[in-house]
Amino acid sequence: MRAGLNSTFRSLQVPNYRLFAGGQLVKLIGVWMMFTAQDWLVLELSDNSPGALGTVTALQFVPVMLLTLWSGRLADRYDKRKLLIAANAAFAVFAVAFAVLVASGVVQLWHVFVFALLLGIANAVETPVRQAFVSELVELRLLPNALALSAATFNTARISGPALAGVLLAVLSTPGVFLISTALAIAPVFTYVRMRPADLIRTERKKGASARVIDGLRYVGKRHDLLLPICLMAAIGMIGFNFPVTLAALAKINFNAGPSSFGLLTTALAIGSLGGALAGTRRRSRPGAYKVIGAALIFGGCEFAVGFAPNFVVAALLLVPTGFFSIYLAQGANHRVQMGVDPEYRGRVMALYVLVFLGTTPIGASLAGWWGEHYGVPSSIWAAGLVSFAAAVGALIWQLRASSERIEVRVRPRLSVRLVPAPAESAAEIDPGEAPRLAVRSEPSLPGVRGHAEPLNRPEPVARV
């Protein structure tokens, strides 16, 4: 058991990564407390309007849409640690000002909109830089584990933050929650300052390299293995990941729940998400395209089911597997992009990933709020699940056509589904940087033998499931 724990948490043996993870955990607990209290505050100030919730969420992510690619350029040109200190300090200043305004009792709905935008600007700079910075904290062999633990940290905060906020909303009221969450949000400023720059694993920048945004876009455009997960997460991130809008409205409007019960719904989603994050901590290699697509298909089906939940308890239960596959999908796509990109392009490519995953939220959140206001909150959830499932089907077709593989279903002698590689002469190239795998080969000359696996020593089409 100790060996399993050591394997799961092996990145924490790196001092700089321990500081990074600790600071993120404390900050994110505060951020999730703040966002939970903010959603409840918006409903109170707007007379239970899903549209107002959608507007706040959209304003938080508009800066991501506008500034993220520029932030990725900064990450490829300048010291990421110093950029993160500045971005987190700005976030802390905005959070303190917002908390003081709420505690004073004079806050109005437009104030919430303004601070949502300001906090979004700080996040738009911080997020892609932080995504790229993880690769400087640990060696390449530890990168999958470090990324998975970062997702686990995020979801641990997403469990404890809303749950703690739900209790404190009932005990201390909204201003008290804002003050506590603000104090926690300052933590990363100190942890980044305490890191040892000499221990960071940095790639030497080429002299005269301009790190242009357009070069990063062209790089991705030539890489099908990067383009597919980025496009898939663009669709699902925009439509399927709007739980901050839909869950608050579902709890208060459809289930007539109080703030603590609303926190439980978010916590149920986060418990599943934490499981999905921990499931990837033992990953040592780049995940295959079909694993990412499979997680997307299951996530779409789970979200579709949540939209038809008849009561609060059923919705909470369904949110657990929904949360699991939402993070298993997002983490798999992130790993596939991070572990397949050249270091000199990592900042710009991860900025593009953040842009399509989070930057499309203003569109999706506004649409979810509008749809929920006109056609009901449950329908906005099951429709999002349906769109996510359709996007996954589209990605599957795209991958099969690009790799010239096909899905073969056999009923006799027993039901089986397998991927059949294309003939060698029509094979697509193996993804750059992909580790050697096992090739599944058909052997029609051997009666009764369906196939066998043997080491792949030369470029041939491989179905990675």
Side-chain angles (χ1 to χ4, degrees):
M1 182 175 178
R2 177 174 293 182
L5 289 175
N6 288 339
S7 177
T8 300
F9 300 103
R10 58 188 180 275
S11 293
L12 293 178
Q13 297 171 3
V14 181
N16 278 346
Y17 186 81
R18 280 201 305 272
L19 286 169
F20 171 81
Q24 285 300 306
L25 179 61
V26 174
K27 174 191 174 179
L28 290 171
I29 288 174
V31 168
W32 278 105
M33 287 175 63
M34 182 189 299
F35 286 168
T36 303
Q38 175 185 273
D39 290 346
W40 205 255
L41 179 64
V42 168
L43 290 173
E44 290 177 345
L45 295 175
S46 65
D47 195 24
N48 295 338
S49 170
L53 271 181
T55 301
V56 169
T57 305
L59 287 170
Q60 286 174 336
F61 289 97
V62 161
V64 177
M65 185 167 57
L66 299 178
L67 301 177
T68 293
L69 290 179
W70 173 76
S71 178
R73 182 173 182 267
L74 291 179
D76 282 337
R77 292 192 66 184
Y78 302 108
D79 189 313
K80 298 179 183 65
R81 174 175 156 272
K82 292 179 180 178
L83 287 172
L84 288 169
I85 292 172
N88 279 279
F91 184 93
V93 170
F94 296 145
V96 168
F98 190 18
V100 169
L101 191 64
V102 174
S104 67
V106 298
V107 66
Q108 298 179 31
L109 188 59
W110 71 269
H111 294 146
V112 183
F113 291 162
V114 169
F115 278 98
L117 184 63
L118 291 174
L119 292 169
I121 291 173
N123 277 331
V125 176
E126 191 264 357
T127 303
V129 179
R130 172 170 44 82
Q131 292 268 352
F133 184 60
V134 176
S135 65
E136 295 188 359
L137 294 171
V138 298
E139 300 174 13
L140 183 60
R141 66 183 179 84
L142 292 176
L143 185 57
N145 178 258
L147 292 171
L149 284 179
S150 295
T153 298
F154 177 85
N155 288 289
T156 299
R158 198 162 70 161
I159 292 171
S160 52
L164 186 57
V167 173
L168 293 178
L169 280 170
V171 176
L172 299 178
S173 75
T174 304
V177 176
F178 270 95
L179 290 173
I180 294 173
S181 65
T182 297
L184 298 176
I186 301 173
V189 177
F190 300 104
T191 56
Y192 285 124
V193 169
R194 289 187 59 194
M195 285 182 182
R196 289 174 53 87
D199 292 342
L200 295 175
I201 303 167
R202 290 171 168 165
T203 303
E204 198 160 333
R205 297 182 182 88
K206 295 180 180 178
K207 290 185 178 180
S210 60
R212 297 186 305 170
V213 171
I214 189 64
D215 291 335
L217 297 177
R218 287 171 178 164
Y219 173 80
V220 173
K222 297 175 182 177
R223 294 281 303 275
H224 162 262
D225 62 312
L226 301 179
L227 194 59
L228 187 146
I230 287 175
C231 289
L232 177 62
M233 294 312 297
I236 294 180
M238 179 171 62
I239 303 298
F241 280 30
N242 287 306
F243 296 110
V245 177
T246 54
L247 290 188
L250 186 70
K252 190 166 188 180
I253 297 171
N254 290 82
F255 298 143
N256 297 314
S260 58
S261 297
F262 161 51
L264 288 176
L265 269 190
T266 308
T267 300
L269 181 74
I271 288 173
S273 301
L274 178 60
L278 291 175
T281 55
R282 296 192 179 187
R283 182 176 289 141
R284 296 179 181 272
S285 59
R286 192 182 184 207
Y290 295 108
K291 184 169 288 187
V292 175
I293 294 169
L297 288 168
I298 299 173
F299 166 74
C302 290
E303 186 174 25
F304 181 82
V306 172
F308 289 98
N311 53 54
F312 182 91
V313 174
V314 174
L317 291 174
L318 287 172
L319 282 170
V320 175
T322 303
F324 180 96
F325 286 103
S326 70
I327 295 304
Y328 195 77
L329 160 64
Q331 185 176 270
N334 187 307
H335 287 186
R336 186 155 177 81
V337 174
Q338 279 259 38
M339 299 188 71
V341 66
D342 293 328
E344 63 184 287
Y345 290 99
R346 180 171 278 115
R348 282 164 289 176
V349 173
M350 292 314 299
L352 178 61
Y353 179 84
V354 171
L355 172 63
V356 302
F357 185 34
L358 299 178
T360 53
T361 301
I363 302 170
S366 300
L367 180 60
W370 177 85
W371 188 283
E373 194 137 10
H374 289 80
Y375 301 105
V377 178
S379 69
S380 68
I381 297 175
W382 65 252
L386 192 62
V387 171
S388 298
F389 188 86
V393 171
L396 177 61
I397 295 171
W398 181 5
Q399 175 64 22
L400 289 172
R401 293 187 65 180
S403 62
S404 299
E405 296 164 344
R406 70 180 188 274
I407 297 177
E408 183 178 279
V409 180
R410 291 188 179 183
V411 179
R412 295 178 181 179
R414 63 180 185 273
L415 179 64
S416 64
V417 181
R418 66 173 183 168
L419 286 162
V420 180
E425 59 269 18
S426 62
E429 283 188 9
I430 291 180
D431 295 342
E434 196 83 23
R437 302 286 183 173
L438 294 181
V440 180
R441 304 187 179 192
S442 297
E443 296 285 352
S445 59
L446 300 177
V449 178
R450 296 177 57 82
H452 69 281
E454 63 186 53
L456 179 66
N457 296 316
R458 53 194 171 85
E460 294 184 12
V462 181
R464 298 179 180 88
V465 184

